[in-house]
Amino acid sequence: MHMALNSLGLMPGMDQGAVPRLLLVDDEPRLLSSLHDLLKDSGYQLVTATCGSEAVAQLMKQRFDLILLDLRLPDLSGHEIMDFINAKGIDASVIVLSGDTDIDAAIGALRRGAYGYLRKPYPHEELLKTVDNALQKRQLEAENRQISWRLACSEKLYRYLVDSSPDIIYTLNPEGQFTFVNDRVQQLLGVPREELIGKHYSSLVHEEDLERAHYVFMERRVGDRASRNVELRLKCVRHGRVERAFEHTLMTVSFNSMGMYSAEKSSGSKQFFGTYGVARDITERKRAEEQISYQAYHDILTGLPNRVLFRDRLEQALIQAKRDATELAVMFVDLDRFKLVNDTLGHVKGDSLLQQVTARLKASLRRGDTLARIGGDEFTVLLPELRDRRDAGVIADKFLKCLDQPFYLDGHELHVSASIGIAVYPDDGNAIDDLIRHADIAMYQVKAIGKNGYSFYDNSMLDASGQKIILENSLRRALEQHELEMYYQPLVDVKTGRIIGAEGLMRWNHPDRGLLAAGEFLPFAEENGLMIPITDWMIGALCRDGREWNAVSDRAIRLSLNISPQYLDRGNFSKKLQESLATYGLSPTQIEVEITENICIRKPQYAIEQLNRLCDLGVSVAIDDFGTGYSSLSYLHRFPIHTIKIDQSFVREIVSDNGHYPVVLAIISIARGLGLNLVAEGVETQVQARYLERAGCTTMQGYYFHSPLTRSEFIRALKAQSPVLAAR
């Protein structure tokens, strides 16, 4: 938002040493007076406006360095004032001060160029710091503009600037031969600039890109029609001739202004002398884009295709099978006793085991088969172009035999087996979901008869629904017989090492199967309509335990709980939570509700209304497993979000202090830019904790700090971090 240069040729914002002038805009007299009093002793010139039109009048009358702007004004909105500032090219920074909790208001302000966005009521120290930073930034920008202006006026300095550019800058004659190139070409490509003069551009371009390169390097157009952002691969003679990717922004030299055209006197036409171009190295960006694209379709831990890519390949295989009248098979593979490894050796060892299992399964496949990991210890397999269904049985036998050999993890000898279900097209279904579901049913049949085997799907397996009824009744009795129990995963502030919160995790003390994690029974509860009574129990237990912790803690502990979309749809959640909070005397500000991307699959508008009711109570909302679903970013536009939780799959990727993990950094940047709280899940190593802290995430949970604790264990942990309480 810089004004055009004035007639004296001076750069804007260069009145160094002048007292900064601030415009304060708010329609609330009390708030405006308070803001004025807060800033008056800081050495600023302060001007106030109580409405949008008054603010516009002040902006037209005098120059301001900084505007502190309320969004909700009686005549013009803050967004409209920012649009006016941008349209008029007014050189002023903007800090928005708003009580509006709508995320769209914040995004709208940031898109219009706001330096900062503070929600009312804001801490005075934060406002003063933001104002100071904004003014310092303007001062630095003014100084940079002065430097750039002097460089532009000096041919000698201009030459230095060209040679110091991070980009390759070059000119070509009409035959495509280099007539000038700066020193950057040697730094990036290892070719001395002197050797390139007189050589054809094709000597640098990758053979596969020569056709596109012709239009780039022989560009004759100017202005907006010139070639822009064309990506080419250039040959690099350094580091083993690694090829690098470049983005070209080209234009023809404007010879009129530079005196490089020779106009023929007879016709007055202009003679073309060559092409001017700038090539920016985007190799690292391309690698980051490829990595992000890869992660969208692959499991980070094993490198296998994920559920999305598997379904896509299955869809293509079905089309081919229908066209060729051939068979294909879908396998559902679930590891037996894998939970025992995680519980006894930890998730790091469990991940290592999954990687070893993956390597063995892949070695047993044919060329063209697809092995995918769809979550936890579950895999799916696509076997296209079967001669007959017995081929699938051969692959299943290979899987079982390769898993029969022991696995070794840091001196531990482990044995795992697998239960495998197989569905064959077209006998067992001709649609993607049918084949996957039937393979899943066949797998559970193997589980039911002893595990470590495989079974083809048969329609008679549908009778196994009777077993589901038994499990449903057991789950219903679990509520009546108090078999459910809450465990708590502590949230730790790594700067102080203190427990500042906890995530509630449900466990089932099954009379026959022992302690079951939520993932082993909640999916079934959702499928059979038991989520509402189970979640009702969880809310009551969480509030009861929170009251007990408040009695032994020297500060309020924030409690978070995961809520299923089904419960938001039908559970009258806000009313029930309000009743539980009142019953146990717990403050709503201690509760945070965690949602996932599945919430937008059902009734998103109704869910938004429910969450807004929670926010009205004082309850905050977090996105759990952020970045793993299609709709994660859309939450920031549609839902009242306060906290982002970095999914453990991204955290697990952090293996080096000096590594670069763009997805993690992107999520932290999003949270910081929108003023949201940030929590990292599944932190299991010191390297992960240290990297996240340096990147700006200071609240974490995971086995590195604490495993999930029972209620009494959590109380002991709270007392241990307070000497006064520990002495009680």
Side-chain angles (χ1 to χ4, degrees), residues 327-342:
E327 291 184 327
L328 65 79
V330 172
M331 285 184 178
F332 204 106
V333 181
D334 186 273
L335 301 183
D336 304 324
R337 299 185 298 278
F338 179 76
K339 178 180 178 297
L340 180 62
V341 177
N342 271 344

mmCIF file with all atom_site columns, all heavy atoms in Angstrom, residues 327-342:
data_model
loop_
_atom_site.group_PDB
_atom_site.id
_atom_site.type_symbol
_atom_site.label_atom_id
_atom_site.label_alt_id
_atom_site.label_comp_id
_atom_site.label_asym_id
_atom_site.label_entity_id
_atom_site.label_seq_id
_atom_site.pdbx_PDB_ins_code
_atom_site.Cartn_x
_atom_site.Cartn_y
_atom_site.Cartn_z
_atom_site.occupancy
_atom_site.B_iso_or_equiv
_atom_site.pdbx_formal_charge
_atom_site.auth_seq_id
_atom_site.auth_comp_id
_atom_site.auth_asym_id
_atom_site.auth_atom_id
_atom_site.pdbx_PDB_model_num
ATOM 1   N N   . GLU A 1 327 ? -11.129 -61.411 -13.639 1.00 0.00 ? 327 GLU A N   1
ATOM 2   C CA  . GLU A 1 327 ? -11.375 -61.318 -12.208 1.00 0.00 ? 327 GLU A CA  1
ATOM 3   C C   . GLU A 1 327 ? -10.278 -60.487 -11.538 1.00 0.00 ? 327 GLU A C   1
ATOM 4   O O   . GLU A 1 327 ? -9.162  -60.390 -12.042 1.00 0.00 ? 327 GLU A O   1
ATOM 5   C CB  . GLU A 1 327 ? -11.395 -62.715 -11.566 1.00 0.00 ? 327 GLU A CB  1
ATOM 6   C CG  . GLU A 1 327 ? -12.586 -63.568 -11.968 1.00 0.00 ? 327 GLU A CG  1
ATOM 7   C CD  . GLU A 1 327 ? -12.602 -64.896 -11.224 1.00 0.00 ? 327 GLU A CD  1
ATOM 8   O OE1 . GLU A 1 327 ? -11.495 -65.422 -10.930 1.00 0.00 ? 327 GLU A OE1 1
ATOM 9   O OE2 . GLU A 1 327 ? -13.692 -65.388 -10.926 1.00 0.00 ? 327 GLU A OE2 1
ATOM 10  N N   . LEU A 1 328 ? -10.621 -59.903 -10.391 1.00 0.00 ? 328 LEU A N   1
ATOM 11  C CA  . LEU A 1 328 ? -9.626  -59.270 -9.517  1.00 0.00 ? 328 LEU A CA  1
ATOM 12  C C   . LEU A 1 328 ? -10.039 -59.545 -8.080  1.00 0.00 ? 328 LEU A C   1
ATOM 13  O O   . LEU A 1 328 ? -11.199 -59.884 -7.806  1.00 0.00 ? 328 LEU A O   1
ATOM 14  C CB  . LEU A 1 328 ? -9.489  -57.766 -9.787  1.00 0.00 ? 328 LEU A CB  1
ATOM 15  C CG  . LEU A 1 328 ? -10.670 -56.826 -9.514  1.00 0.00 ? 328 LEU A CG  1
ATOM 16  C CD1 . LEU A 1 328 ? -10.822 -56.478 -8.040  1.00 0.00 ? 328 LEU A CD1 1
ATOM 17  C CD2 . LEU A 1 328 ? -10.497 -55.529 -10.306 1.00 0.00 ? 328 LEU A CD2 1
ATOM 18  N N   . ALA A 1 329 ? -9.087  -59.395 -7.165  1.00 0.00 ? 329 ALA A N   1
ATOM 19  C CA  . ALA A 1 329 ? -9.368  -59.661 -5.753  1.00 0.00 ? 329 ALA A CA  1
ATOM 20  C C   . ALA A 1 329 ? -8.940  -58.476 -4.903  1.00 0.00 ? 329 ALA A C   1
ATOM 21  O O   . ALA A 1 329 ? -7.980  -57.766 -5.217  1.00 0.00 ? 329 ALA A O   1
ATOM 22  C CB  . ALA A 1 329 ? -8.637  -60.921 -5.281  1.00 0.00 ? 329 ALA A CB  1
ATOM 23  N N   . VAL A 1 330 ? -9.687  -58.283 -3.818  1.00 0.00 ? 330 VAL A N   1
ATOM 24  C CA  . VAL A 1 330 ? -9.346  -57.300 -2.800  1.00 0.00 ? 330 VAL A CA  1
ATOM 25  C C   . VAL A 1 330 ? -9.103  -58.052 -1.497  1.00 0.00 ? 330 VAL A C   1
ATOM 26  O O   . VAL A 1 330 ? -9.917  -58.873 -1.081  1.00 0.00 ? 330 VAL A O   1
ATOM 27  C CB  . VAL A 1 330 ? -10.463 -56.256 -2.611  1.00 0.00 ? 330 VAL A CB  1
ATOM 28  C CG1 . VAL A 1 330 ? -10.168 -55.366 -1.414  1.00 0.00 ? 330 VAL A CG1 1
ATOM 29  C CG2 . VAL A 1 330 ? -10.616 -55.415 -3.871  1.00 0.00 ? 330 VAL A CG2 1
ATOM 30  N N   . MET A 1 331 ? -7.965  -57.796 -0.884  1.00 0.00 ? 331 MET A N   1
ATOM 31  C CA  . MET A 1 331 ? -7.641  -58.407 0.410   1.00 0.00 ? 331 MET A CA  1
ATOM 32  C C   . MET A 1 331 ? -7.716  -57.362 1.512   1.00 0.00 ? 331 MET A C   1
ATOM 33  O O   . MET A 1 331 ? -7.339  -56.197 1.311   1.00 0.00 ? 331 MET A O   1
ATOM 34  C CB  . MET A 1 331 ? -6.218  -58.981 0.403   1.00 0.00 ? 331 MET A CB  1
ATOM 35  C CG  . MET A 1 331 ? -6.030  -60.260 -0.348  1.00 0.00 ? 331 MET A CG  1
ATOM 36  S SD  . MET A 1 331 ? -4.314  -60.815 -0.114  1.00 0.00 ? 331 MET A SD  1
ATOM 37  C CE  . MET A 1 331 ? -4.361  -62.356 -1.020  1.00 0.00 ? 331 MET A CE  1
ATOM 38  N N   . PHE A 1 332 ? -8.170  -57.781 2.668   1.00 0.00 ? 332 PHE A N   1
ATOM 39  C CA  . PHE A 1 332 ? -8.109  -56.962 3.876   1.00 0.00 ? 332 PHE A CA  1
ATOM 40  C C   . PHE A 1 332 ? -7.216  -57.704 4.861   1.00 0.00 ? 332 PHE A C   1
ATOM 41  O O   . PHE A 1 332 ? -7.522  -58.827 5.264   1.00 0.00 ? 332 PHE A O   1
ATOM 42  C CB  . PHE A 1 332 ? -9.511  -56.758 4.456   1.00 0.00 ? 332 PHE A CB  1
ATOM 43  C CG  . PHE A 1 332 ? -9.629  -55.531 5.302   1.00 0.00 ? 332 PHE A CG  1
ATOM 44  C CD1 . PHE A 1 332 ? -10.288 -54.410 4.842   1.00 0.00 ? 332 PHE A CD1 1
ATOM 45  C CD2 . PHE A 1 332 ? -9.064  -55.477 6.565   1.00 0.00 ? 332 PHE A CD2 1
ATOM 46  C CE1 . PHE A 1 332 ? -10.398 -53.267 5.609   1.00 0.00 ? 332 PHE A CE1 1
ATOM 47  C CE2 . PHE A 1 332 ? -9.157  -54.349 7.347   1.00 0.00 ? 332 PHE A CE2 1
ATOM 48  C CZ  . PHE A 1 332 ? -9.832  -53.232 6.867   1.00 0.00 ? 332 PHE A CZ  1
ATOM 49  N N   . VAL A 1 333 ? -6.083  -57.099 5.216   1.00 0.00 ? 333 VAL A N   1
ATOM 50  C CA  . VAL A 1 333 ? -5.087  -57.745 6.067   1.00 0.00 ? 333 VAL A CA  1
ATOM 51  C C   . VAL A 1 333 ? -5.011  -56.997 7.400   1.00 0.00 ? 333 VAL A C   1
ATOM 52  O O   . VAL A 1 333 ? -4.754  -55.784 7.421   1.00 0.00 ? 333 VAL A O   1
ATOM 53  C CB  . VAL A 1 333 ? -3.697  -57.747 5.395   1.00 0.00 ? 333 VAL A CB  1
ATOM 54  C CG1 . VAL A 1 333 ? -2.681  -58.455 6.279   1.00 0.00 ? 333 VAL A CG1 1
ATOM 55  C CG2 . VAL A 1 333 ? -3.773  -58.392 4.010   1.00 0.00 ? 333 VAL A CG2 1
ATOM 56  N N   . ASP A 1 334 ? -5.228  -57.705 8.479   1.00 0.00 ? 334 ASP A N   1
ATOM 57  C CA  . ASP A 1 334 ? -5.141  -57.106 9.817   1.00 0.00 ? 334 ASP A CA  1
ATOM 58  C C   . ASP A 1 334 ? -4.149  -57.915 10.648  1.00 0.00 ? 334 ASP A C   1
ATOM 59  O O   . ASP A 1 334 ? -4.276  -59.138 10.764  1.00 0.00 ? 334 ASP A O   1
ATOM 60  C CB  . ASP A 1 334 ? -6.517  -57.098 10.488  1.00 0.00 ? 334 ASP A CB  1
ATOM 61  C CG  . ASP A 1 334 ? -6.500  -56.346 11.807  1.00 0.00 ? 334 ASP A CG  1
ATOM 62  O OD1 . ASP A 1 334 ? -6.178  -56.969 12.846  1.00 0.00 ? 334 ASP A OD1 1
ATOM 63  O OD2 . ASP A 1 334 ? -6.822  -55.155 11.805  1.00 0.00 ? 334 ASP A OD2 1
ATOM 64  N N   . LEU A 1 335 ? -3.143  -57.226 11.208  1.00 0.00 ? 335 LEU A N   1
ATOM 65  C CA  . LEU A 1 335 ? -2.133  -57.925 11.993  1.00 0.00 ? 335 LEU A CA  1
ATOM 66  C C   . LEU A 1 335 ? -2.709  -58.384 13.329  1.00 0.00 ? 335 LEU A C   1
ATOM 67  O O   . LEU A 1 335 ? -3.484  -57.665 13.962  1.00 0.00 ? 335 LEU A O   1
ATOM 68  C CB  . LEU A 1 335 ? -0.920  -57.028 12.239  1.00 0.00 ? 335 LEU A CB  1
ATOM 69  C CG  . LEU A 1 335 ? -0.192  -56.509 10.991  1.00 0.00 ? 335 LEU A CG  1
ATOM 70  C CD1 . LEU A 1 335 ? 1.027   -55.707 11.401  1.00 0.00 ? 335 LEU A CD1 1
ATOM 71  C CD2 . LEU A 1 335 ? 0.211   -57.658 10.076  1.00 0.00 ? 335 LEU A CD2 1
ATOM 72  N N   . ASP A 1 336 ? -2.321  -59.582 13.755  1.00 0.00 ? 336 ASP A N   1
ATOM 73  C CA  . ASP A 1 336 ? -2.755  -60.125 15.044  1.00 0.00 ? 336 ASP A CA  1
ATOM 74  C C   . ASP A 1 336 ? -1.739  -59.744 16.122  1.00 0.00 ? 336 ASP A C   1
ATOM 75  O O   . ASP A 1 336 ? -0.534  -59.762 15.892  1.00 0.00 ? 336 ASP A O   1
ATOM 76  C CB  . ASP A 1 336 ? -2.865  -61.655 14.971  1.00 0.00 ? 336 ASP A CB  1
ATOM 77  C CG  . ASP A 1 336 ? -3.793  -62.107 13.841  1.00 0.00 ? 336 ASP A CG  1
ATOM 78  O OD1 . ASP A 1 336 ? -4.802  -61.419 13.602  1.00 0.00 ? 336 ASP A OD1 1
ATOM 79  O OD2 . ASP A 1 336 ? -3.480  -63.132 13.199  1.00 0.00 ? 336 ASP A OD2 1
ATOM 80  N N   . ARG A 1 337 ? -2.236  -59.412 17.289  1.00 0.00 ? 337 ARG A N   1
ATOM 81  C CA  . ARG A 1 337 ? -1.414  -59.130 18.468  1.00 0.00 ? 337 ARG A CA  1
ATOM 82  C C   . ARG A 1 337 ? -0.516  -57.903 18.299  1.00 0.00 ? 337 ARG A C   1
ATOM 83  O O   . ARG A 1 337 ? 0.434   -57.718 19.049  1.00 0.00 ? 337 ARG A O   1
ATOM 84  C CB  . ARG A 1 337 ? -0.536  -60.336 18.841  1.00 0.00 ? 337 ARG A CB  1
ATOM 85  C CG  . ARG A 1 337 ? -1.331  -61.588 19.186  1.00 0.00 ? 337 ARG A CG  1
ATOM 86  C CD  . ARG A 1 337 ? -0.412  -62.694 19.665  1.00 0.00 ? 337 ARG A CD  1
ATOM 87  N NE  . ARG A 1 337 ? 0.550   -63.111 18.666  1.00 0.00 ? 337 ARG A NE  1
ATOM 88  C CZ  . ARG A 1 337 ? 0.279   -63.974 17.691  1.00 0.00 ? 337 ARG A CZ  1
ATOM 89  N NH1 . ARG A 1 337 ? -0.923  -64.527 17.608  1.00 0.00 ? 337 ARG A NH1 1
ATOM 90  N NH2 . ARG A 1 337 ? 1.195   -64.304 16.818  1.00 0.00 ? 337 ARG A NH2 1
ATOM 91  N N   . PHE A 1 338 ? -0.830  -57.045 17.332  1.00 0.00 ? 338 PHE A N   1
ATOM 92  C CA  . PHE A 1 338 ? -0.003  -55.861 17.150  1.00 0.00 ? 338 PHE A CA  1
ATOM 93  C C   . PHE A 1 338 ? -0.172  -54.881 18.308  1.00 0.00 ? 338 PHE A C   1
ATOM 94  O O   . PHE A 1 338 ? 0.780   -54.202 18.711  1.00 0.00 ? 338 PHE A O   1
ATOM 95  C CB  . PHE A 1 338 ? -0.349  -55.160 15.829  1.00 0.00 ? 338 PHE A CB  1
ATOM 96  C CG  . PHE A 1 338 ? 0.448   -53.917 15.581  1.00 0.00 ? 338 PHE A CG  1
ATOM 97  C CD1 . PHE A 1 338 ? 1.771   -53.989 15.180  1.00 0.00 ? 338 PHE A CD1 1
ATOM 98  C CD2 . PHE A 1 338 ? -0.121  -52.666 15.770  1.00 0.00 ? 338 PHE A CD2 1
ATOM 99  C CE1 . PHE A 1 338 ? 2.516   -52.842 14.964  1.00 0.00 ? 338 PHE A CE1 1
ATOM 100 C CE2 . PHE A 1 338 ? 0.618   -51.520 15.560  1.00 0.00 ? 338 PHE A CE2 1
ATOM 101 C CZ  . PHE A 1 338 ? 1.929   -51.602 15.150  1.00 0.00 ? 338 PHE A CZ  1
ATOM 102 N N   . LYS A 1 339 ? -1.369  -54.813 18.854  1.00 0.00 ? 339 LYS A N   1
ATOM 103 C CA  . LYS A 1 339 ? -1.615  -53.901 19.974  1.00 0.00 ? 339 LYS A CA  1
ATOM 104 C C   . LYS A 1 339 ? -0.688  -54.210 21.143  1.00 0.00 ? 339 LYS A C   1
ATOM 105 O O   . LYS A 1 339 ? -0.243  -53.297 21.857  1.00 0.00 ? 339 LYS A O   1
ATOM 106 C CB  . LYS A 1 339 ? -3.080  -54.001 20.407  1.00 0.00 ? 339 LYS A CB  1
ATOM 107 C CG  . LYS A 1 339 ? -3.435  -53.127 21.599  1.00 0.00 ? 339 LYS A CG  1
ATOM 108 C CD  . LYS A 1 339 ? -4.898  -53.296 21.956  1.00 0.00 ? 339 LYS A CD  1
ATOM 109 C CE  . LYS A 1 339 ? -5.239  -52.462 23.188  1.00 0.00 ? 339 LYS A CE  1
ATOM 110 N NZ  . LYS A 1 339 ? -4.511  -52.862 24.381  1.00 0.00 ? 339 LYS A NZ  1
ATOM 111 N N   . LEU A 1 340 ? -0.374  -55.483 21.336  1.00 0.00 ? 340 LEU A N   1
ATOM 112 C CA  . LEU A 1 340 ? 0.499   -55.871 22.441  1.00 0.00 ? 340 LEU A CA  1
ATOM 113 C C   . LEU A 1 340 ? 1.887   -55.245 22.279  1.00 0.00 ? 340 LEU A C   1
ATOM 114 O O   . LEU A 1 340 ? 2.516   -54.837 23.258  1.00 0.00 ? 340 LEU A O   1
ATOM 115 C CB  . LEU A 1 340 ? 0.609   -57.395 22.496  1.00 0.00 ? 340 LEU A CB  1
ATOM 116 C CG  . LEU A 1 340 ? 1.500   -57.985 23.603  1.00 0.00 ? 340 LEU A CG  1
ATOM 117 C CD1 . LEU A 1 340 ? 0.945   -57.609 24.973  1.00 0.00 ? 340 LEU A CD1 1
ATOM 118 C CD2 . LEU A 1 340 ? 1.599   -59.493 23.452  1.00 0.00 ? 340 LEU A CD2 1
ATOM 119 N N   . VAL A 1 341 ? 2.359   -55.147 21.030  1.00 0.00 ? 341 VAL A N   1
ATOM 120 C CA  . VAL A 1 341 ? 3.661   -54.535 20.775  1.00 0.00 ? 341 VAL A CA  1
ATOM 121 C C   . VAL A 1 341 ? 3.633   -53.057 21.149  1.00 0.00 ? 341 VAL A C   1
ATOM 122 O O   . VAL A 1 341 ? 4.526   -52.544 21.826  1.00 0.00 ? 341 VAL A O   1
ATOM 123 C CB  . VAL A 1 341 ? 4.064   -54.712 19.296  1.00 0.00 ? 341 VAL A CB  1
ATOM 124 C CG1 . VAL A 1 341 ? 5.383   -54.007 19.004  1.00 0.00 ? 341 VAL A CG1 1
ATOM 125 C CG2 . VAL A 1 341 ? 4.156   -56.186 18.941  1.00 0.00 ? 341 VAL A CG2 1
ATOM 126 N N   . ASN A 1 342 ? 2.593   -52.350 20.714  1.00 0.00 ? 342 ASN A N   1
ATOM 127 C CA  . ASN A 1 342 ? 2.481   -50.930 21.043  1.00 0.00 ? 342 ASN A CA  1
ATOM 128 C C   . ASN A 1 342 ? 2.395   -50.709 22.547  1.00 0.00 ? 342 ASN A C   1
ATOM 129 O O   . ASN A 1 342 ? 3.011   -49.790 23.096  1.00 0.00 ? 342 ASN A O   1
ATOM 130 C CB  . ASN A 1 342 ? 1.247   -50.323 20.367  1.00 0.00 ? 342 ASN A CB  1
ATOM 131 C CG  . ASN A 1 342 ? 1.558   -49.791 18.975  1.00 0.00 ? 342 ASN A CG  1
ATOM 132 O OD1 . ASN A 1 342 ? 2.723   -49.595 18.618  1.00 0.00 ? 342 ASN A OD1 1
ATOM 133 N ND2 . ASN A 1 342 ? 0.535   -49.567 18.189  1.00 0.00 ? 342 ASN A ND2 1
#
